[in-house]
């Protein structure tokens, strides 16, 4: 390398880590545990809102029914997320679910966009809508956005730092290695 004018060592190759290892480690961190507790709280609150809104009954505008349907979809979404994280925490082999997890990620973003559209459309029909369903969907959108833009990048950033530390601890193979 020195003869070619390069004074920098060749970049190290990152060790491939399985989805199982990454997910297991992420759910076992304090931030992962806190996120799981927050998701469980969101799931409980949304399920309560669905039951309350359905018990209120009555004739409601289509926009209002769509809001309730979106809240029900968030109940399903958080149930899926918690089930995946629980399986990862107990050590289940998660690599076989990569395509399903990726598809759910895409659907989660679609759900977020759909929910914002439904909230805007229901804004004018709000007097006839169940306030609990409307507020629950607002809370779900806020939490989902916060989780997507703040919590997940912290987890991904932690994973990147972990990879860098692992790389730094690896012995360097090559001409200058001892």
């Amino acid at each position: 390398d020195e003869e070619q004018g390069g004074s920098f060592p060749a970049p190290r190759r990152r060790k491939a880590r399985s989805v199982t290892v990454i997910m297991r480690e992420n759910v076992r961190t304090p931030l992962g545990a806190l996120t799981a507790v927050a998701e469980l709280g969101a799931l409980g609150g949304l399920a309560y809102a669905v039951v309350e809104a359905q018990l209120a009954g009555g004739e409601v505008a289509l926009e209002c029914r769509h809001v309730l349907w979106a809240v029900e979809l968030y109940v399903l979404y958080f149930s899926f997320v918690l089930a995946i994280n629980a399986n990862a925490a107990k050590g289940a082999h998660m690599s076989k679910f990569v395509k399903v997890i990726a598809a759910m990620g895409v659907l989660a973003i679609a759900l977020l966009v759909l929910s914002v559209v439904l909230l805007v459309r229901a804004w004018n029909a709000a007097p006839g809508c169940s306030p609990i369903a409307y507020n629950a969907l607002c809370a779900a959108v806020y939490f989902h956005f916060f989780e997507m833009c703040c919590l997940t990048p912290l987890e991904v950033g932690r994973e990147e730092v972990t990879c860098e530390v692992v790389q730094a601890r690896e012995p360097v193979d090559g001409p200058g290695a001892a």
Side-chain angles (χ1 to χ4, degrees):
D1 282 334
E2 291 294 310
E3 294 170 3
Q4 296 175 351
S7 60
F8 297 104
R12 294 183 186 172
R13 291 187 55 181
R14 199 177 268 187
K15 276 189 177 177
R17 292 167 25 116
S18 72
V19 172
T20 302
V21 171
I22 292 168
M23 288 186 71
R24 185 179 310 130
E25 288 176 1
N26 281 344
V27 298
R28 291 180 177 174
T29 64
L31 182 58
L34 180 63
T35 302
V37 168
E39 289 168 344
L40 184 61
L43 174 63
L46 292 170
Y48 172 79
V50 166
V51 170
E52 284 295 315
Q54 288 178 347
L55 289 177
E59 191 65 32
V60 294
L62 186 61
E63 292 87 4
C64 299
R65 279 187 271 158
H66 289 162
V67 168
L68 183 57
W69 293 345
V71 175
E72 291 169 344
L73 287 173
Y74 264 112
V75 168
L76 292 174
Y77 167 71
F78 283 118
S79 297
F80 176 82
V81 168
L82 286 167
I84 288 292
N85 288 336
N87 280 317
K90 74 175 189 175
H93 185 65
M94 301 307 293
S95 297
K96 61 186 172 186
F97 299 113
V98 168
K99 290 181 182 178
V100 174
I101 293 168
M104 276 304 291
V106 171
L107 291 174
I109 292 171
L111 176 59
L112 180 62
V113 171
L114 172 70
S115 296
V116 169
V117 169
L118 291 176
L119 286 170
V120 169
R121 288 182 64 200
W123 180 263
N124 293 331
C129 289
S130 164
I132 193 165
Y134 190 86
N135 291 336
L137 187 57
C138 284
V141 166
Y142 292 145
F143 178 71
H144 191 178
F145 188 77
F146 176 74
E147 183 178 38
M148 185 174 68
C149 294
C150 298
L151 297 178
T152 300
L154 287 174
E155 282 294 313
V156 171
R158 188 191 62 74
E159 175 64 27
E160 181 68 25
V161 169
T162 301
C163 287
E164 295 298 324
V165 169
V166 167
Q167 284 179 356
R169 291 181 180 168
E170 290 177 351
V172 178
D173 295 334

